[in-house]
């Protein structure tokens, strides 16, 4: 995959790009529900930082929640 300049969500084996992190977050619940393992992996860059940030999201009480995050 090319260098990440925008956020990507991995749903199962498929990578889905989003124009902005805000737009990705608006779709989180729907994406998690579509995922075969009820979890999605998000990669993105953070303003003013080097490298790529990752987040694992799941549904907790019907709301998206980060269960793991950090720098790659």
């Amino acid at each position: 995959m090319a260098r990440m300049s925008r956020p990507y969500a991995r749903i199962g084996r498929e990578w889905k790009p989003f124009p902005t992190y805000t737009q990705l977050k608006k779709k989180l619940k729907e994406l998690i529900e579509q995922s075969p393992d009820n979890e999605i992996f998000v990669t993105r860059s953070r303003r003013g930082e080097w490298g790529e940030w990752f987040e694992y999201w799941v549904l907790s009480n019907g709301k998206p929640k980060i269960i793991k995050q950090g720098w790659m």
Side-chain angles (χ1 to χ4, degrees), residues 1 3-10 15 21 24-25 40-57 66-72:
M1 187 170 20
R3 187 175 190 280
M4 307 263 178
S5 57
R6 57 178 152 157
Y8 281 80
R10 187 181 73 204
W15 287 94
Y21 185 65
L24 184 149
K25 284 186 73 175
I40 65 167
F41 176 71
V42 173
T43 61
R44 65 187 179 108
S45 58
R46 293 180 70 179
R47 188 182 331 180
E49 301 286 346
W50 288 78
E52 294 172 19
W53 184 257
F54 74 89
E55 301 165 344
Y56 280 96
W57 289 84
I66 294 175
I67 57 168
K68 187 174 182 181
Q69 63 184 343
W71 292 105
M72 286 201 273

Side-chain angles (χ1 to χ4, degrees), residues 7-20:
Y8 281 80
R10 187 181 73 204
I11 302 111
R13 293 180 180 246
E14 178 186 343
W15 287 94
K16 185 171 182 157
F18 286 85
T20 65

Side-chain angles (χ1 to χ4, degrees), residues 17-35:
F18 286 85
T20 65
Y21 185 65
T22 302
Q23 290 179 350
L24 184 149
K25 284 186 73 175
K26 288 178 184 177
K27 297 272 191 180
L28 272 174
K29 184 174 180 178
E30 178 184 329
L31 295 170
I32 295 168
E33 289 171 345
Q34 291 174 3
S35 174

